[in-house]
Amino acid sequence: MGAKYTIKVPATSANIGPGFDVMGLSLSLYLTVVAEVSETKGPVRIVYEGTDSDGLSVDPQTNLITRTALYVLGCHGVKEFPKATTVRVQNNIPLGRGLGSSGAAVVAGVLLADAVGALGLQQQRMLDYCLMIEHHPDNVAAALVGGFVASYLVAVERPDGIPASEPASTAISNGATAPPPENIAHFLRLGCSPKIKAIAIIPQFELATSKARAALPGSYKTADVVFNLQRLAVLTTALGSEVPDPWLIFHAMEDKIHQPYRKHLVPGLPEILRSFNPDNTPGLLGICLSGAGPTILALAVDNFDQIAASIRAVFARQPTRVETKYQVLDIVSEGATCTKN
């Protein structure tokens, strides 16, 4: 009789204002992968369900989840899935919206390889593999370990010399099998009050991370870097307070490194960032662009639906009448899991 594995990976919101490429939160929205492994050799079959699943590749050589798994297996001398496998993917993370969909796929692929190849990888080693593909630690570290996470990446070369600016899938497009160095990233789980929830206001259009990164300048003013460093230092502790201080967090979530340069990519972003604060919006703690966008992340302790409605109204009155959806999410302490059924 074959085996069945269920992999769950949370969505993530990166940056959280000042923590560009540093901070990440894991959220109660999941990518679920069920791998049914037979006892005989055979092909891999991929079946998709859920959010934005139309048009996603079901070719194991091009699908990001299975291609990541094949890279990890290849690094261990295994050129293909050991047995015939059906990979059922239930995706509830909107694609291209700044909620870590590609990072979740990469994490799921690493866990899938670990399961079907019986590799016995430790969490830190899994992170090494994730970062040889995704390269930006904020999303994948939070998705893998869960909670409110700070991380940094040690400078390394990716497979086949792929530069850090290339999209994740490029790093494994040529069948690279060079394993990563060990401990190429370090992370720290920070405290986050259980009273805090994350409101994700999700515009119904995609924004490619590569496009959002291309909008950033090649250098920054010292004053802007100091501005972010000051707020980042405070934010790492402020979110963990038993009784969150709204104005302390609100100012600590301000940013001058990435959001000002991306405002033209998200209609309504400047108005949203300047219009809402803890005085005029009860329950609000802070507001920022989620990852590269276009999703808006609002952290709050109360009045979640009202806050979402107010932000959605700003999108709706833009000249382009941006359509949005929203979800009130928990900040989850558990990261990616793999269970053998």
Side-chain angles (χ1 to χ4, degrees):
M1 188 173 180
K4 182 177 178 181
Y5 302 93
T6 300
I7 296 165
K8 287 185 68 177
V9 185
T12 52
S13 180
N15 303 330
I16 323 301
F20 180 62
D21 277 0
V22 176
M23 313 297 296
L25 286 171
S26 58
L27 306 172
S28 58
L29 191 64
Y30 293 91
L31 168 67
T32 302
V33 177
V34 177
E36 300 167 350
V37 183
S38 75
E39 292 186 318
T40 60
K41 283 191 169 294
V44 175
R45 186 170 72 97
I46 303 171
V47 179
Y48 260 97
E49 300 173 347
T51 302
D52 296 338
S53 59
D54 291 344
L56 290 175
S57 173
V58 292
D59 179 352
Q61 299 297 325
T62 57
N63 178 274
L64 185 54
I65 296 171
T66 50
R67 187 162 35 153
T68 297
L70 287 168
Y71 161 63
V72 178
L73 289 169
C75 290
H76 291 81
V78 182
K79 294 183 178 181
E80 58 187 14
F81 277 66
K83 301 289 176 65
T85 304
T86 298
V87 179
R88 302 185 185 277
V89 183
Q90 174 72 41
N91 179 43
N92 292 318
I93 306 174
L95 304 180
R97 305 299 207 281
L99 289 169
S101 58
S102 65
V106 169
V107 172
V110 173
L111 268 67
L112 177 60
D114 184 57
V116 300
L119 304 180
L121 297 176
Q122 298 298 307
Q123 189 179 71
Q124 176 62 53
R125 193 58 178 151
M126 290 182 182
L127 184 58
D128 291 338
Y129 281 102
C130 290
L131 287 169
M132 292 302 280
I133 301 166
E134 181 72 5
H135 200 69
H136 305 294
D138 44 10
N139 282 119
V140 291
L144 185 63
V145 307
F148 179 31
V149 181
S151 58
Y152 63 85
L153 177 66
V154 178
V156 297
E157 290 295 323
R158 292 202 288 174
D160 298 330
I162 301 296
S165 60
E166 291 296 322
S169 57
T170 308
I172 47 176
S173 61
N174 297 318
T177 56
E182 295 185 359
N183 302 314
I184 61 175
H186 299 275
F187 66 87
L188 184 66
R189 297 186 73 210
L190 304 168
C192 189
S193 170
K195 298 178 180 179
I196 300 175
K197 289 187 181 294
I199 309 164
I201 298 90
I202 309 166
Q204 297 305 287
F205 66 86
E206 295 186 20
L207 176 56
T209 301
S210 56
K211 184 176 181 179
R213 284 191 173 271
L216 302 178
S219 61
Y220 293 94
K221 295 178 182 178
T222 300
D224 289 347
V225 175
V226 171
F227 180 96
N228 271 49
L229 289 174
Q230 290 172 333
R231 281 149 183 79
L232 179 59
V234 173
L235 186 63
T236 56
T237 300
L239 291 182
S241 298
E242 184 177 348
V243 180
D245 183 327
W247 274 107
L248 180 70
I249 293 171
F250 183 82
H251 286 306
M253 286 179 63
E254 294 173 327
D255 160 72
K256 289 189 177 183
I257 295 297
H258 65 104
Q259 291 176 161
Y261 302 99
R262 291 168 165 171
K263 60 186 179 183
H264 65 288
L265 300 174
V266 184
L269 176 61
E271 183 178 350
I272 290 167
L273 293 178
R274 70 170 179 264
S275 297
F276 303 101
N277 62 60
D279 281 348
N280 64 26
T281 311
L284 180 69
L285 297 177
I287 192 165
C288 63
L289 196 61
S290 180
T295 293
I296 297 294
L297 181 79
L299 299 183
V301 293
D302 200 3
N303 296 315
F304 310 112
D305 295 320
Q306 296 93 321
I307 292 170
S310 297
I311 296 172
R312 294 182 74 197
V314 175
F315 278 119
R317 64 174 175 258
Q318 297 306 303
T320 52
R321 297 184 181 275
V322 179
E323 184 180 345
T324 60
K325 296 181 180 180
Y326 82 97
Q327 295 201 46
V328 179
L329 303 169
D330 293 324
I331 297 167
V332 294
S333 59
E334 185 175 47
T337 60
C338 180
T339 305
K340 186 175 182 180
N341 305 108

